């Protein structure tokens, strides 16, 4: 194939040439690279040589014992891999268009949702969409949103609102926060706890970067607490709850996490806030104009129904 460049015609490399070069760049060995992509060694060597001729640069430094990337080869290997990744994504997208709910779906989930909702999500995918290759990535919100924008991820399951341009939120449910206390705490087991009680409590929080930490701080501010009640933090909810059981303070848990986290210790009590209780909203999020947008909307509807047995308030399509 040739392309015009200001009247002059310039040849373009083929995908087989790029694939051969990328394999050699990865393995730095012709025999291993050929085996990795199912090509004969002479054919692979010829493809790399043809690519060098097409590009007009030397990509490899060949010796009798090993293969090295030239400086140009090191730079162009990154580009070659990116092109091949995009071609792979194009083929996956085309397959998804031909046959909905097939191929790869890369789902990003925040840590304060993953352990509690994934069993329902995985069961739904297994039963209703058996041909869908679900790949799960657990990361914090900022990393997930970046992955969605760059195309590394296809769909997110997280707390909203995000307020991020180019992202469509598909609301699933609202859930209340509850207060988890040590066994002998004066608020343990109580109902109708006023939010103002948070002003005086030693509240334990997650580390920086977790959206649940920010939500807890927002709840404290709404209750009239101006200072940041941070003396001890934890990387995950399991650790946070164990710190509460040890008497270091109290914490806020979303209702979906209560059964999993509080049954690990007999030194905990759960208290419930008066209406309206502090809440969070969980949604799926996709790129605006996503090619598989109709599939994601259908999946969100199926997931809402599957989540009804959980202690949440399932939302309609428009939230």
């Amino acid at each position: 194939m040739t392309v015009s460049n200001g009247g002059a015609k310039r040849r373009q490399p083929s995908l087989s040439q790029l694939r051969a070069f990328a394999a050699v760049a990865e393995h730095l060995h012709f025999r291993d690279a050929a085996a990795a992509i199912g090509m004969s060694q002479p054919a692979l060597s010829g493809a790399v040589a043809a690519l060098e001729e097409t590009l007009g640069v030397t990509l490899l430094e060949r010796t009798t014992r090993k293969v090295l990337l030239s400086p140009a080869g090191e730079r162009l290997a990154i580009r070659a891999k990116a092109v091949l990744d995009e071609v792979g994504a194009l083929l996956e997208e085309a397959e998804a268009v031909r046959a909905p709910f097939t191929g790869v779906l890369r789902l990003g989930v925040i840590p304060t949702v993953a352990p509690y909702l994934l069993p329902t999500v995985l069961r739904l995918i297994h039963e209703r969409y058996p041909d869908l290759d679900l790949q799960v990535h657990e990361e914090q919100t900022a990393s997930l949103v970046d992955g969605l924008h760059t195309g590394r991820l296809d769909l997110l399951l997280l707390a909203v609102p995000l307020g991020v341009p180019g992202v469509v939120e598909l609301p699933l449910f609202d859930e209340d926060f509850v207060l988890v206390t040590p066994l002998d705490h004066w608020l343990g087991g109580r109902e109708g706890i006023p939010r103002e009680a948070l002003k005086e409590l030693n509240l334990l929080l997650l580390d920086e970067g977790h959206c649940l930490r920010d939500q807890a701080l927002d709840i404290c501010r709404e209750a009239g607490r101006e200072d940041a009640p941070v003396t001890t933090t934890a990387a995950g909810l399991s650790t946070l709850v164990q710190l509460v059981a040890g008497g270091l303070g109290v914490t806020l848990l979303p209702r979906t996490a209560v059964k999993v986290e509080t049954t690990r210790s007999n030194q905990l009590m759960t208290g419930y806030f008066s209406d309206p209780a502090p809440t969070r909203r969980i949604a799926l999020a996709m790129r605006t104009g996503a090619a598989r947008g109709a599939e994601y909307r259908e999946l969100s509807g199926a997931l809402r129904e599957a989540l009804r047995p959980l202690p949440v308030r399932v939302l309609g399509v428009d939230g």
Side-chain angles (χ1 to χ4, degrees):
M1 181 179 179
T2 59
V3 292
S4 176
N5 182 20
K9 290 187 176 181
R10 187 165 45 129
R11 294 172 59 193
Q12 278 194 335
S14 67
L15 289 177
S16 62
Q17 291 170 355
L18 293 176
R19 194 171 292 112
F21 170 54
V24 175
E26 178 181 355
H27 295 278
L28 295 178
H29 195 287
F30 277 95
R31 184 178 65 247
D32 293 346
I37 61 174
M39 181 182 284
S40 71
Q41 190 171 331
L44 180 131
S45 297
V48 174
L51 179 61
E52 290 179 313
E53 181 182 351
T54 298
L55 298 177
V57 296
T58 299
L59 301 171
L60 304 176
E61 295 178 5
R62 301 166 177 84
T63 70
T64 55
R65 293 188 176 182
K66 58 184 177 180
V67 176
L68 298 175
L69 290 175
S70 69
E74 290 181 354
R75 293 176 58 183
L76 295 180
I78 298 172
R79 295 286 188 181
K81 184 179 184 305
V83 169
L84 293 172
D85 287 345
E86 285 300 314
V87 170
L90 182 147
L91 294 175
E92 288 177 7
E93 202 75 48
E95 178 63 24
V97 171
R98 291 196 300 271
F101 294 105
T102 61
V104 176
L105 173 58
R106 296 162 295 190
L107 176 68
V109 191
I110 56 174
T112 59
V113 162
Y116 321 113
L117 297 191
L118 278 181
T120 300
V121 173
L122 296 176
R123 184 166 54 250
L124 173 67
I125 297 297
H126 177 73
E127 293 176 355
R128 187 173 296 198
Y129 311 113
D131 295 324
L132 193 61
D133 179 11
L134 182 67
Q135 299 177 0
V136 177
H137 302 262
E138 185 185 51
E139 302 169 20
Q140 293 184 7
T141 299
S143 176
L144 292 180
V145 172
D146 179 71
L148 188 68
H149 279 312
T150 61
R152 179 174 59 85
L153 299 172
D154 303 311
L155 193 63
L156 308 181
L157 178 59
L158 73 180
V160 296
L162 296 172
V164 177
V167 175
V168 175
E169 298 170 4
L170 306 173
L172 298 175
F173 63 83
D174 289 338
E175 65 175 326
D176 292 342
F177 284 98
V178 301
L179 186 69
V180 180
T181 72
L183 194 61
D184 58 354
H185 196 276
W186 67 282
L187 288 175
R190 284 186 53 180
E191 296 187 6
I193 298 172
R195 293 196 194 194
E196 290 73 20
L198 292 171
K199 290 181 181 180
E200 310 301 328
L201 299 179
N202 181 24
L203 190 64
L204 305 181
L205 300 175
L206 290 173
D207 292 338
E208 295 278 358
H210 289 276
C211 62
L212 190 57
R213 172 194 173 93
D214 298 330
Q215 291 160 354
L217 291 174
D218 286 342
I219 292 168
C220 288
R221 282 189 284 268
E222 290 171 4
R225 184 167 185 165
E226 298 300 329
D227 65 313
V230 182
T231 56
T232 300
T233 63
L237 289 183
S238 296
T239 302
L240 204 60
V241 170
Q242 293 308 309
L243 294 174
V244 173
L248 295 188
V250 303
T251 195
L252 296 171
L253 277 190
R255 285 290 301 272
T256 50
V258 171
K259 183 176 180 181
V260 172
E261 300 300 345
T262 61
T263 54
R264 295 173 178 170
S265 173
N266 60 3
Q267 299 300 307
L268 296 167
M269 294 289 284
T270 303
Y272 297 89
F273 291 95
S274 58
D275 290 333
T279 64
R280 73 171 180 176
R281 176 163 293 185
I282 301 299
L284 292 175
M286 65 180 182
R287 286 183 296 277
T288 301
R292 301 174 71 179
E295 288 180 58
Y296 300 156
R297 292 182 186 280
E298 181 179 332
L299 176 61
S300 69
L303 189 53
R304 287 187 196 98
E305 293 305 309
L307 292 168
R308 287 192 183 279
L310 298 182
V312 301
R313 293 184 296 281
V314 174
L315 299 168
V317 175
D318 298 324

